[in-house]
């Protein structure tokens, strides 16, 4: 099934509102999810709606949260999320970070007690659209074996980065600290496809190509990914006084309770470090030069980070966004949640 981004946004917003979220917050959630699907990040798009609706309906996401921003220093602050929608909390926190960086050059804003916030690229691009550089990290529940281990301890703990240019392009980098995100396993599972043996392990700790048998993911580049996911856990968990590592709440164990997740935005105003126009011109130049690098055998060309997502977005504008049929059927149905919901087998962080 193919739908326009605008229609997908409306379908998601309607479903999220029906589950209990306010129109304003549902609109933001829909914007983040439609953004992900439009970029081809289907693991963080409409596939998440059923899970969010279930958690909203059961009270695990606060419908009308008491959001509060606490500025703790000239360049620092904490956004208290009251276990409201993570998408909304992360966006509002980034707005505060942009405000502070605009005045003082740098901002470090933590988000405490939030729910799942989706694709981090959305939030760092908020800052890049204001001519700022941004880095965002967030924690997730245990599903990754540490390097050398046979049982999970850390989450996929993603990292995202964005920077502007002088011609409307952006350098955007968004990755899990695992070979692949749980959502990619989900996407393969929903399509009945196998996965590479380097992505994940089964209950015995052995590599598996069957997405239905995945018990834990593997860190990217072995000890390097392991170190990065620990860094993210420190910055978005321990630094904010939140649960960390294996103590982070499960995405599915009890959908009636808030998750108390953490996220950290770091925003830099280039104008405090160099000439802003020169910075953006140099960013454009580096993207041009990377794109002009001779491609390896069998490769059509070299892409800069984020470029392929924007190319997919452009293609989807003409062809519509491809949505798996059962997900589309859920979006257009009257159903909100199910008594026998088994999220772990359907959705994944």
């Amino acid at each position: 099934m193919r739908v326009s981004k605008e229609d997908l946004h409306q379908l998601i917003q309607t479903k999220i509102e029906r589950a209990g979220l306010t129109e304003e917050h549902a609109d933001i959630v829909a914007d983040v999810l439609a953004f992900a699907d439009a970029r081809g990040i289907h693991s963080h798009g409409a596939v998440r709606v059923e899970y969010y609706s279930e958690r909203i309906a059961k009270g695990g996401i606060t419908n009308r949260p008491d959001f509060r921003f606490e500025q703790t220093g000239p360049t620092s602050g904490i956004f208290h999320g009251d276990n409201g929608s993570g998408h909304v909390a992360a966006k509002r926190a980034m707005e505060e970070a942009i405000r502070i960086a605009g005045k003082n050059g740098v901002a470090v804003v933590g988000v405490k007690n939030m729910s799942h916030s989706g694709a981090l690229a959305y939030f760092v691009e908020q800052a890049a659209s204001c001519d700022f550089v941004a880095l965002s990290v967030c924690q997730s529940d245990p599903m990754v074996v540490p390097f050398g281990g046979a049982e999970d301890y850390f989450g996929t703990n993603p990292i995202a980065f964005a920077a502007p240019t002088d011609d409307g392009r952006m350098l955007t980098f968004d990755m899990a600290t695992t070979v692949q995100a749980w959502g990619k396993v989900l996407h393969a599972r929903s399509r009945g496809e196998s996965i590479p043996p380097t992505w994940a392990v089964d209950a015995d700790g052995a590599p598996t190509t069957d997405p239905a048998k995945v018990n834990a993911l593997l860190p990217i580049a072995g000890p390097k990914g392991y170190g990065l996911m620990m860094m993210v856990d420190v910055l978005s968990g321990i630094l904010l006084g939140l649960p960390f590592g294996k103590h982070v709440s499960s995405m599915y164990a009890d959908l009636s309770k808030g998750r108390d997740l953490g996220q950290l935005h770091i925003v830099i105003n280039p104008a405090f470090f160099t000439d802003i126009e020169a910075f953006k011109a140099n960013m454009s130049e580096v993207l041009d030069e990377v794109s002009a690098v001779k491609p390896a055998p069998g490769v059509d060309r070299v892409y800069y980070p984020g470029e392929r997502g924007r190319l997919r977005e452009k293609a989807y504008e003409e062809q519509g966004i491809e949505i798996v049929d059962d997900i589309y059927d859920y979006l257009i149905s009257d159903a909100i949640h199910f008594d026998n919901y088994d999220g772990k087998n359907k959705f994944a962080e």
Side-chain angles (χ1 to χ4, degrees):
M1 175 63 66
R2 289 186 178 273
V3 297
S4 69
K5 183 179 179 181
E6 293 74 22
D7 287 346
L8 181 61
H9 181 289
Q10 188 57 58
L11 286 169
I12 295 172
Q13 179 176 345
T14 298
K15 183 68 72 172
I16 295 295
E17 279 189 66
R18 189 173 294 161
L21 219 57
T22 66
E23 179 181 0
E24 178 187 8
H25 287 193
D27 177 59
I28 293 172
V29 173
D31 202 46
V32 180
L33 270 61
F35 165 91
D37 272 322
R39 294 289 178 89
I41 315 170
H42 299 298
S43 59
H44 286 67
V47 71
R48 304 284 180 159
V49 177
E50 186 179 356
Y51 162 72
Y52 293 141
S53 297
E54 175 78 357
R55 185 172 280 279
I56 291 165
K58 288 189 173 180
I61 293 176
T62 307
N63 290 350
R64 290 171 172 75
D66 181 20
F67 286 150
R68 178 171 60 87
F69 180 67
E70 174 189 4
Q71 188 156 344
T72 57
T75 60
S76 62
I78 298 292
F79 189 93
H80 298 273
D82 191 28
N83 277 309
S85 165
H87 311 78
V88 183
K91 183 175 183 178
R92 297 279 176 81
M94 181 58 82
E95 290 169 356
E96 296 290 353
I98 291 169
R99 176 184 62 79
I100 292 172
K103 179 180 180 181
N104 296 320
V106 176
V108 181
V109 172
V111 191
K112 293 184 66 171
N113 308 119
M114 64 189 294
S115 64
H116 188 259
S117 62
L120 295 189
Y122 180 95
F123 309 109
V124 292
E125 287 196 4
Q126 272 184 260
S129 67
C130 297
D131 286 347
F132 295 163
V133 173
L135 175 73
S136 186
V137 297
C138 72
Q139 59 180 187
S140 61
D141 53 316
M143 59 185 72
V144 187
V145 291
F147 180 69
E151 58 185 17
D152 58 24
Y153 184 85
F154 288 110
T156 57
N157 294 4
I159 302 170
F161 174 84
T165 67
D166 65 354
D167 56 17
R169 292 178 294 174
M170 289 184 192
L171 168 66
T172 306
F173 179 68
D174 188 352
M175 61 164 255
T177 49
T178 48
V179 177
Q180 278 294 357
W182 261 112
K184 295 293 185 180
V185 176
L186 158 66
H187 191 55
R189 186 182 298 168
S190 69
R191 291 175 174 269
E193 299 171 348
S194 62
I195 61 173
T198 55
W199 284 16
V201 295
D202 61 20
D204 297 321
T208 181
T209 60
D210 184 348
K213 294 182 178 179
V214 169
N215 188 59
L217 299 176
L218 290 165
I220 191 170
K224 297 178 182 179
Y226 170 40
L228 285 172
M229 67 179 59
M230 184 176 286
M231 177 195 75
V232 171
D233 201 55
V234 171
L235 292 176
S236 57
I238 296 175
L239 182 66
L240 302 179
L242 294 171
F244 53 89
K246 67 178 182 180
H247 308 289
V248 176
S249 64
S250 168
M251 194 166 188
Y252 303 103
D254 187 346
L255 300 186
S256 67
K257 292 184 178 180
R259 296 198 61 203
D260 295 320
L261 295 177
Q263 191 162 323
L264 190 77
H265 295 319
I266 300 173
V267 177
I268 301 170
N269 184 346
F272 279 67
F273 297 87
T274 187
D275 178 78
I276 183 61
E277 296 306 322
F279 172 82
K280 293 194 294 181
N282 287 338
M283 283 299 307
S284 292
E285 183 175 357
V286 73
L287 297 192
D288 290 338
E289 291 178 350
V290 167
S291 298
V293 168
K294 180 181 177 180
V299 178
D300 60 344
R301 53 161 293 200
V302 176
Y303 296 88
Y304 60 82
E307 183 179 11
R308 287 182 295 181
R310 287 185 177 82
L311 290 174
R312 284 190 289 267
E313 185 173 26
K314 184 176 181 180
Y316 282 146
E317 288 176 0
E318 301 173 356
Q319 305 168 8
I321 299 171
E322 185 177 359
I323 302 297
V324 176
D325 287 346
D326 61 352
I327 295 172
Y328 180 78
D329 290 344
Y330 171 73
L331 290 176
I332 64 174
S333 73
D334 292 330
I336 296 299
H337 60 93
F338 307 93
D339 292 337
N340 296 317
Y341 182 80
D342 185 10
K344 192 66 175 181
N345 290 327
K346 291 169 144 183
F347 303 98
E349 211 161 21

